[in-house]
Amino acid sequence: MFHDFFTPSVQHALDLVGIFVFAISGALLAVRKNFDVFGMAVLAEITALGGGLLRDLIIGAVPPAAFTDLGYFSMPLVATALVFFLHPHVERIQGAVNVFDAAGLGLFCVTGTTKAYEYGLGLTSSAVLGLATAVGGGVLRDVFANEVPSLLRWDRDLYAVPAIVGASMVALCLRFDSLNALTSTLAVLTAFVLRLLAMRFHWRAPRAWNRRSAAAEEEGAGA
């Protein structure tokens, strides 16, 4: 049975790990944007809790865990303190942001899917909420940092696709009653590695067929 392998304590521990790594990515982006310590904390909280908050509101888990569990709120503050004192050199910050973000993406697409399924959603809906849990905080992070969300930019490496793959793996495991610690970890690692490979080899989703880039159109207009 599903609950034999994914007990509430295990779910809570995975949530805290995911919150921490997402908060690290948010705090590191704040450093790169030259935010002060308050801005770092705000961006860390938003990045860490935004996707889970959206998931909980949709599935009816109210009040959301972010407001009832002190650990959920405190973990981003711990991450902020860590980044405040120990952040890498400026030229290395972007790489660190991407790695931590990929780790959070993998963890949250799995925990989000499983929690949605626990609340009675179907496999497809659970996978969709797993995706929303994984990418929601990152979208809010970019918006608050005054950037176009990576999820929406054609010139950014695949972001949502690795989360979709991880969430789909969990849904398939649930379908065939094979979700356990090993398969859950495999789903996390698959999403994580796919995201890293996408960044390494610049894998990107295709745009509309034969559509020219905005840059090319502007050059043509100025010619």
Side-chain angles (χ1 to χ4, degrees):
M1 294 294 293
F2 172 72
H3 291 286
D4 293 335
F5 300 106
F6 232 77
T7 64
S9 60
V10 173
Q11 176 75 55
H12 185 259
L14 288 175
D15 278 346
L16 288 179
V17 172
I19 285 170
F20 181 76
V21 294
F22 259 28
I24 288 286
S25 75
L28 283 171
L29 180 59
V31 172
R32 187 170 62 86
K33 286 286 187 175
N34 202 30
F35 289 2
D36 63 16
V37 65
F38 180 75
M40 291 173 61
V42 169
L43 212 58
E45 292 281 358
I46 289 171
T47 308
L49 303 178
L53 179 62
L54 174 64
R55 175 201 62 207
D56 288 350
L57 290 175
I58 291 175
I59 65 178
V62 292
F67 295 101
T68 60
D69 191 317
L70 183 60
Y72 283 23
F73 180 80
S74 301
M75 193 62 73
L77 299 181
V78 174
T80 299
L82 180 67
V83 172
F84 183 82
F85 290 107
L86 301 176
H87 68 85
H89 297 295
V90 174
E91 64 271 14
R92 298 177 57 192
I93 287 179
Q94 185 59 58
V97 168
N98 291 336
V99 171
F100 281 112
D101 187 73
L105 191 78
L107 284 166
F108 272 29
C109 72
V110 171
T111 58
T113 303
T114 53
K115 185 169 184 178
Y117 185 77
E118 283 185 324
Y119 273 76
L121 270 67
L123 295 177
T124 300
S125 298
S126 296
V128 170
L129 275 188
L131 170 64
T133 306
V135 305
V139 170
L140 291 173
R141 175 200 65 205
D142 291 344
V143 169
F144 273 74
N146 198 30
E147 292 188 352
V148 176
S150 298
L151 188 69
L152 306 179
R153 295 186 58 171
W154 70 268
D155 59 340
R156 294 297 176 89
D157 306 323
L158 292 179
Y159 186 74
V161 171
I164 292 172
V165 172
S168 298
M169 289 177 64
V170 174
L172 286 174
C173 289
L174 289 168
R175 170 65 178 82
F176 295 104
D177 196 25
S178 60
L179 186 69
N180 52 45
L182 178 61
T183 55
S184 297
T185 301
L186 180 61
V188 171
L189 290 176
T190 298
F192 176 61
V193 171
L194 280 177
R195 173 59 178 159
L196 292 182
L197 289 174
M199 292 187 293
R200 173 65 178 83
F201 297 105
H202 303 298
W203 294 343
R204 295 169 183 173
R207 293 183 294 161
W209 185 255
N210 283 336
R211 185 195 184 283
R212 296 179 300 167
S213 69
E217 291 174 352
E218 290 173 0
E219 291 174 0

